[in-house]
Structures are given as C-alpha cells and as structure tokens.
C-alpha cells in the first residue's frame, strides 16, 4: 500500500501545540467520532476542551505523517457534541480511515492502561509518569508499570484441500474461525500453537510457520499468526470452549470473521492458495 500514512510513536509531546492535532477521545473504550452518512472521522482540533468536552486525562501518542496524535478520556456522563457519538472500535472498522483506525487501536490501549494504573500494585501509593518512557513509576518502591500486552497465537491448520475451523461459544451465530489462545508464561509461541490445537480439538500438527501479526485492542492483545499442517488424531472437542469444529473445503465454507481480523487474513491466504492450485 504505497499511500499508507506513516505513524511514528512518541512519548514526549511537543512543548507548544501550534497546529491542530488528531484527538482520540474516549469514554471508557468508546471513541468520539463525527458521524457522516457513510463514514466517521476523528476530531482534528487545537484543544478538545474547546466546546463542551472536559478531559480528565490525556497522553501523547506520536504523529501520523505531520500531524500530532493525542489520546484523551472524558468522564462517564459526558454527552457527545452535536453530530458526534461515542462508538466502539469494532463498530467503526471500515467506516473510519484505516490509518486512523490503527492509531485509535493504540490509543484505546494507552488510555486504558493509564486509567487502570493509578496506584502501585505493590505498595498502593499513587504512581507518577516516568519521563521519556511509556511507563509509570512508584515513588516509594520504584516498581515500574508498563502498558499491558497479552500475546495470543492464532493458527490455521490445513489438511490437503481442507482447513480446520471451530466455533467458540462466544461467537456470533453460525460463525466459525481458526483456533486461537493466549500464550502461557514460560511458553514459546510454537509450544503455545501445539498446546492450543491439542487442547481445543485434540489433534496433532506439524510444519508450524509464522504468518504475520496484528495488534488486537480488545482489550490489549497482540495476535501472532501461524499456519500448520495436520499430523494425526481425530477431532475431539474441549467442551468448555469449543462448541463445534470440523474440516472445511473452499466450496463449503461457513460464516467467517470480518476483514478486520488476522483470522480472516489467514483464511483468505488459504483460499488464495487453493485457487492457485486449481489454476495449475
Ligand atoms: Zn510501590
């Protein structure tokens, strides 16, 4: 994508704000957006306190091309200004410019961390922001608190012209996806992939290959994608989490996740490979 704008992360805000900036203003995890008929956009302002908004905390994020980006939080009862609304990030994907969307995905994680890390977890005193780092420091015991990030693996398992898809109890009706799960402390990514597939559907896999990764701000994951090949065993379900699982061909796919997700990119990658195979 040649026209993709470049976001550069930053910790220290410019001393003087001489130009308008992108303001990612959240109420809890919902973003303040201007509503247009077909799309939404983020406020581009000198100061979000203009108008009726009262910011209770804010952080500098960096810049997108030449424009500074900030995240701010407003209190629970704040009524959105005329023509604007607070919306969840999942709801605005595809309607907000994609570059701004991924800055919003960072922003929501930074403001959530700021909100939930006000006091030291060890001694309970108020934390202070550490200069020049995305961290907070305890003035009493020196413990550092960094933004939380939970790595999760996601894996597409293939067997010939079929792929493995499963349905979690939490999914929307009829939807199936590839398997995913959080990495446990002490585990490598590859070990997590093998364990998750074994635990959830009872099969063995081989040829684990890195596919790509994606931030997943719901609320603070990093999805690390892999492909793998079936190596043995019969599907048997973990009855806590998985409701149904099976092998699917391109011709008979169930409902699959939307374009926002790396799950969909993995599935689209498999479909493209099958098409090439048919053309040969
Ligand atoms: Zn402390």
């Amino acid at each position: 994508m040649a026209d993709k704008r470049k976001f550069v992360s930053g910790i220290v805000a410019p001393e003087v704000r001489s130009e308008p900036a992108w303001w990612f203003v959240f109420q809890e995890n919902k973003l303040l957006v201007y509503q247009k008929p077909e799309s939404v956009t983020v406020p581009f302002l000198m100061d979000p306190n203009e108008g009726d908004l009262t910011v209770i905390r804010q952080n500098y994020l960096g810049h997108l091309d030449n424009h500074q980006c900030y995240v701010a939080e407003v209190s629970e009862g704040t009524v959105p200004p005329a023509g604007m609304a607070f919306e969840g990030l999942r709801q605005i994907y595809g309607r907000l410019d994609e570059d701004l969307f991924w800055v919003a995905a960072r922003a929501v994680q930074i403001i959530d961390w700021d909100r939930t890390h006000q006091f030291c977890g060890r001694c309970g005193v108020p934390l202070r922001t550490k200069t020049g780092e995305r961290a907070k420091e305890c003035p009493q015991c020196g413990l550092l608190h960094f933004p939380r990030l939970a790595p999760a693996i996601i894996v597409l398992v293939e067997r010939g012209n079929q792929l493995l898809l499963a349905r979690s109890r939490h999914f929307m009706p009829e939807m199936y996806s590839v398997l995913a799960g959080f990495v446990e402390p002490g585990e490598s990514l590859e070990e997590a992939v093998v364990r998750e597939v074994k635990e959830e559907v009872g099969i063995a896999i081989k040829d684990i290959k890195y596919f790509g990764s994606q931030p997943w701000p719901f609320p603070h994951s990093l999805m690390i994608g892999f492909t793998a090949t079936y190596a043995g065993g019969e599907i048997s379900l973990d009855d806590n989490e998985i409701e149904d699982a099976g092998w699917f061909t391109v011709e008979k796919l169930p409902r699959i996740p939307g374009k926002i997700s790396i799950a969909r990119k993995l599935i689209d990658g498999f479909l493209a490979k099958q098409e090439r195979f048919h053309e040969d």
Side-chain angles (χ1 to χ4, degrees), residues 9 25 33 44 48 60 65 72 90-92 95 109 116 122 154 157 178 182 188-189 218 220 222 230 253:
S9 178
V25 177
V33 288
F44 187 66
Y60 178 66
D65 284 346
R90 283 175 199 265
Q91 281 69 54
I92 58 172
R95 291 194 289 142
Q109 297 184 70
T116 55
R122 186 189 278 155
I154 181 160
V157 182
V178 295
F182 288 108
S188 72
L189 296 174
F218 307 108
H220 44 72
L222 172 67
Y230 170 79
L253 281 183

Side-chain angles (χ1 to χ4, degrees), residues 120-125 127 137-143 145:
C120 179
R122 186 189 278 155
C123 49
V125 304
L127 296 174
E137 190 174 27
C138 174
Q140 189 157 297
C141 74
L143 187 65
H145 300 71

Side-chain angles (χ1 to χ4, degrees), residues 11-269:
I11 312 288
V12 184
E15 274 182 29
V16 184
R17 202 182 311 126
S18 52
E19 289 176 5
W22 293 113
W23 283 91
F24 297 84
V25 177
F26 287 90
Q27 187 176 54
E28 291 286 317
N29 293 328
K30 291 189 168 178
L31 180 67
L32 183 67
V33 288
Y34 288 109
Q35 303 275 21
K36 298 199 251 170
E38 299 291 317
S39 63
V40 296
T41 191
V42 173
F44 187 66
L45 303 168
M46 285 300 287
D47 186 342
N49 293 303
E50 295 166 4
D52 295 334
L53 296 175
T54 304
V55 166
I56 54 176
R57 60 176 58 89
Q58 74 179 53
N59 282 256
Y60 178 66
L61 294 170
H63 55 93
L64 181 65
D65 284 346
N66 299 322
H67 300 304
Q68 310 297 338
C69 302
Y70 292 82
V71 59
E73 180 169 45
V74 292
S75 60
E76 220 174 295
T78 303
V79 177
M84 302 186 82
F86 291 104
E87 289 206 58
L89 292 186
R90 283 175 199 265
Q91 281 69 54
I92 58 172
Y93 184 79
R95 291 194 289 142
L96 178 65
D97 169 275
E98 179 130 15
D99 295 328
L100 290 173
F101 178 86
W102 290 110
V103 182
R106 290 171 180 257
V108 70
Q109 297 184 70
I110 299 299
I111 206 72
D112 180 68
W113 164 72
D114 190 357
R115 180 195 306 131
T116 55
H117 291 73
Q118 294 288 314
F119 299 94
C120 179
R122 186 189 278 155
C123 49
V125 304
L127 296 174
R128 65 178 171 218
T129 301
K130 195 163 186 325
T131 318
E133 254 187 280
R134 186 75 73 200
K136 294 189 184 191
E137 190 174 27
C138 174
Q140 189 157 297
C141 74
L143 187 65
L144 292 174
H145 300 71
F146 298 98
R148 283 184 289 178
L149 195 55
I153 58 86
I154 181 160
V155 55
L156 181 139
V157 182
E158 53 181 78
R159 185 175 76 174
N161 66 343
Q162 297 175 307
L163 80 163
L164 178 69
L165 293 173
R167 216 191 114 61
S168 151
R169 297 186 190 284
H170 323 291
F171 284 0
M172 285 186 289
E174 320 278 303
M175 198 176 81
Y176 283 70
S177 187
V178 295
L179 297 177
F182 288 108
V183 180
E184 292 181 353
E187 207 172 38
S188 72
L189 296 174
E190 292 80 1
E191 286 168 341
V193 168
V194 170
R195 174 185 53 76
E196 199 65 37
V197 173
K198 188 75 187 170
E199 273 178 14
E200 291 192 355
V201 294
I203 63 166
I205 54 169
K206 59 181 181 181
D207 305 331
I208 298 165
K209 289 194 186 78
Y210 177 67
F211 174 82
S213 67
Q214 183 188 56
W216 191 244
F218 307 108
H220 44 72
S221 292
L222 172 67
M223 305 298 294
I224 304 128
F226 294 87
T227 58
T229 311
Y230 170 79
E234 290 296 321
I235 291 177
S236 69
L237 298 182
D238 164 8
D239 35 47
N240 288 320
E241 216 175 319
I242 302 291
E243 192 171 85
D244 188 31
W247 298 102
F248 292 83
T249 58
V250 173
E251 293 76 27
K252 256 195 151 176
L253 281 183
R255 185 176 172 193
I256 54 175
K259 297 271 183 201
I260 182 175
S261 62
I262 191 170
R264 178 59 175 270
K265 292 181 179 78
L266 278 159
I267 295 168
D268 286 349

